[in-house]
């Protein structure tokens, strides 16, 4: 039996540090960008800060020397994606049906802002179908 | 999936963090495997077997888990 003792915990400490750094850059950047745009009135500077945060997030994600997310994280992401799509489907179907029926059976109607959101959801499912098809053909 | 990761780790006297660092995953992943809440990929199973210098089926017993029980 291999009696390997890996007392050097620096990879795990680095992992934690870079993960915190990654999300701090993104959330901090978005918060500062919001402050600049909504409170201080600097929309262009705000946009620049926003993109710096986005680029910084991916720079840490792909540029760090340690693996920030392992296979379990990816498995959890896949499960979360599947659950999200599964939960959204009935919401989309029911809301669309209610939206079509309401004006015909009552004086009420869904707010106009709801329809672009529903079309956005439909777009997500169309994109999913395309990606699924491509992956299926290639596998 | 039932496994002997914890027993072997205890026998070696190493922590979950040590084992995680040795096979390149997070401590939480080792914890989830030991609690049978996550089944590792074949690649990680090979790394664990390599670390403990044993076969995969010594760590993850197919018959123990009902896998391979023919009809």
């Amino acid at each position: 039996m291999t009696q390997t003792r890996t007392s050097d915990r620096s990879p795990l400490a680095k992992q934690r540090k870079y993960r915190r750094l990654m999300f701090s850059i993104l959330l901090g950047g978005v918060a500062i960008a919001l402050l600049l745009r909504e409170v201080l009135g600097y929309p262009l500077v705000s946009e620049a800060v926003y993109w710096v945060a986005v680029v910084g997030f991916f720079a840490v994600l792909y540029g760090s020397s340690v693996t920030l997310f392992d296979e379990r994280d990816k498995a959890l992401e896949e499960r979360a994606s599947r659950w999200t799509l599964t939960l959204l489907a009935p919401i989309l179907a029911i809301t669309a049906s209610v939206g079509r029926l309401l004006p015909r059976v009552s004086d009420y109607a869904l707010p106009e802002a709801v329809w672009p959101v529903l079309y956005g959801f439909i777009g997500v499912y169309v994109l999913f179908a395309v990606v699924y098809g491509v992956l299926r053909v290639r596998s | 999936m039932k496994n002997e990761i914890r027993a072997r780790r205890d026998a070696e006297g190493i922590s979950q963090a040590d084992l995680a660092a040795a096979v390149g995953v997070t401590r939480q992943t080792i914890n989830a495997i030991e609690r049978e809440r996550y089944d590792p990929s074949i690649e990680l199973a090979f790394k664990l077997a390599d670390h403990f210098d044993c076969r995969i089926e010594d760590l993850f017993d197919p018959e123990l888990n009902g896998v391979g029980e023919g009809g």
Side-chain angles (χ1 to χ4, degrees):
Chain A
M1 183 178 287
T2 307
Q3 293 295 323
T4 307
R5 275 176 172 60
T6 316
S7 57
D8 179 15
R9 298 184 185 200
S10 62
L12 290 177
K14 270 187 184 175
Q15 195 176 53
R16 278 194 295 271
K17 185 179 78 176
Y18 282 125
R19 284 172 82 152
R20 284 178 190 150
L21 178 66
M22 191 174 68
F23 288 112
S24 298
I25 287 173
L26 184 66
L27 295 177
V30 169
I32 292 169
L34 274 173
L35 181 74
L36 284 166
R37 192 183 66 204
E38 301 297 331
V39 180
L40 301 176
Y42 295 105
L44 291 179
V45 180
S46 164
E47 212 58 28
V49 169
Y50 171 78
W51 278 105
V52 167
V54 171
V55 171
F57 175 86
F58 285 106
V60 175
L61 178 62
Y62 293 110
S64 64
S65 57
V66 293
T67 304
L68 296 182
F69 297 98
D70 65 14
E71 62 175 52
R72 180 168 156 269
D73 294 304
K74 288 175 185 169
L76 288 171
E77 272 183 28
E78 287 172 7
R79 283 178 64 192
S81 302
R82 192 162 56 244
W83 270 104
T84 302
L85 288 176
T86 303
L87 290 172
L88 270 182
I91 292 173
L92 172 64
I94 292 168
T95 309
S97 180
V98 169
R100 285 190 298 267
L101 285 176
L102 262 185
R104 296 178 185 277
V105 299
S106 72
D107 294 332
Y108 300 101
L110 290 182
E112 284 301 312
V114 170
W115 293 105
V117 175
L118 290 182
Y119 286 126
F121 283 164
I122 292 169
V124 168
Y125 279 96
V126 170
L127 179 62
F128 172 79
V130 170
V131 172
Y132 179 85
V134 170
L135 291 176
R136 191 181 174 105
V137 167
R138 292 178 61 180
S139 66
Chain B
M1 183 185 286
K2 291 188 184 304
N3 62 77
E4 294 189 4
I5 302 293
R6 179 165 189 178
R8 296 211 175 224
R9 183 174 60 75
D10 285 345
E12 276 197 14
I14 62 173
S15 67
Q16 288 182 342
D18 290 333
L19 179 58
V23 296
V25 295
T26 63
R27 186 197 63 76
Q28 288 86 351
T29 295
I30 296 298
N31 184 49
I33 293 171
E34 289 187 357
R35 292 166 66 194
E36 299 165 11
R37 291 192 171 188
Y38 174 69
D39 293 336
S41 66
I42 292 176
E43 184 183 356
L44 178 54
F46 268 112
K47 284 182 182 175
L48 289 165
D50 185 52
H51 174 84
F52 290 117
D53 196 19
C54 65
R55 300 175 306 165
I56 288 178
E57 50 266 49
D58 294 333
L59 288 178
F60 303 92
D61 189 340
E63 292 195 2
L64 195 64
N65 294 286
V67 180
E69 290 176 352

